[in-house]
Amino acid sequence: MISAGEFRNGVTFDIDGTVFQIIEFQHVKPGKGAAFVRATLKNVVTGQVLSDVTFNPTAKLETAQVETRKMTYSYTDGEFYYFMDDEFNLTPLNYSQVEDALRFIKENDPVTVRFYKGSAFSVECENFVELKIISSEPGVKGNTATNATKKAILETGAEIQVPMFVEEGEIIRVDTRTGEYMERVK
């Protein structure tokens, strides 16, 4: 059990069988009336975000134990995406459960799979990945010294903006949390 006065970012709890994670919270002490806690919550199964949910600071909530496991993306059969753990057990997930991570993972990449009560519900890729650019316009002479960017398509199919000096065929490091170009890989 956790009280609303003990909220911290990332804490998971159960409300009527639905698991939520705290994205951000704020303790509010208005001039008149009782103090309360305002929070932004994310449904960990569906990804739905609820803003400005209020709690009494003394309200007790059931903590939810969300398990994370390091796994490897194996393959897709068109309907399901399969992830393998260290003991060679395959876990199938559907597209809606993996769509955010699919932008930046390819076969045999390590991922983190989140489970609640033994059922997998989401996949998170590494914070930084190295991917090859398969399509990009050539840089225009004179534009390479400015902060101008161009569209590039990565080997996973993701489209990102890269500096003008980055060329097709190069391997780059991408921050998967923001989808931004970080640097070229030597």
Side-chain angles (χ1 to χ4, degrees):
M1 296 293 275
I2 184 171
S3 72
E6 299 169 330
F7 276 2
R8 299 290 172 259
N9 290 346
V11 170
T12 54
F13 56 88
D14 189 317
I15 299 177
D16 299 328
T18 305
V19 181
F20 291 97
Q21 181 178 25
I22 299 170
I23 304 299
E24 60 183 26
F25 69 97
Q26 179 181 21
H27 292 277
V28 180
K29 296 178 184 172
K32 282 185 166 181
F36 61 92
V37 178
R38 179 182 298 132
T40 300
L41 308 176
K42 180 179 180 181
N43 182 323
V44 297
V45 176
T46 65
Q48 178 187 14
V49 175
L50 303 176
S51 300
D52 296 330
V53 179
T54 58
F55 296 93
N56 182 327
T58 59
K60 299 282 188 197
L61 302 163
E62 187 69 38
T63 56
Q65 297 303 320
V66 174
E67 180 186 354
T68 60
R69 293 185 204 159
K70 290 289 185 188
M71 300 182 94
T72 304
Y73 174 49
S74 291
Y75 66 95
T76 181
D77 63 6
E79 183 179 355
F80 292 104
Y81 297 83
Y82 293 89
F83 296 86
M84 185 171 28
D85 62 15
D86 293 338
E87 298 168 358
F88 305 108
N89 297 320
L90 288 175
T91 301
L93 296 171
N94 63 38
Y95 179 76
S96 66
Q97 295 169 309
V98 300
E99 68 180 308
D100 292 337
L102 279 180
R103 293 183 59 212
F104 301 111
I105 61 173
K106 54 189 188 296
E107 288 184 5
N108 299 318
D109 278 354
V111 295
T112 301
V113 180
R114 300 180 76 189
F115 292 82
Y116 178 65
K117 292 187 178 178
S119 296
F121 64 84
S122 75
V123 175
E124 295 172 4
C125 50
E126 301 286 318
N127 290 340
F128 301 98
V129 294
E130 296 175 1
L131 297 168
K132 185 176 184 178
I133 297 176
I134 59 166
S135 175
S136 176
E137 299 170 8
V140 178
K141 188 170 185 165
N143 261 355
T144 58
T146 65
N147 287 336
T149 61
K150 62 183 179 178
K151 179 175 76 169
I153 299 175
L154 304 176
E155 62 186 301
T156 59
E159 282 186 19
I160 67 167
Q161 293 293 315
V162 297
M164 295 298 270
F165 60 82
V166 177
E167 297 177 6
E168 189 174 304
E170 289 187 300
I171 297 176
I172 61 170
R173 181 169 288 120
V174 178
D175 184 339
T176 60
R177 298 166 293 188
T178 61
E180 294 178 357
Y181 163 87
M182 299 301 294
E183 63 186 352
R184 287 190 284 192
V185 177
K186 302 292 181 202

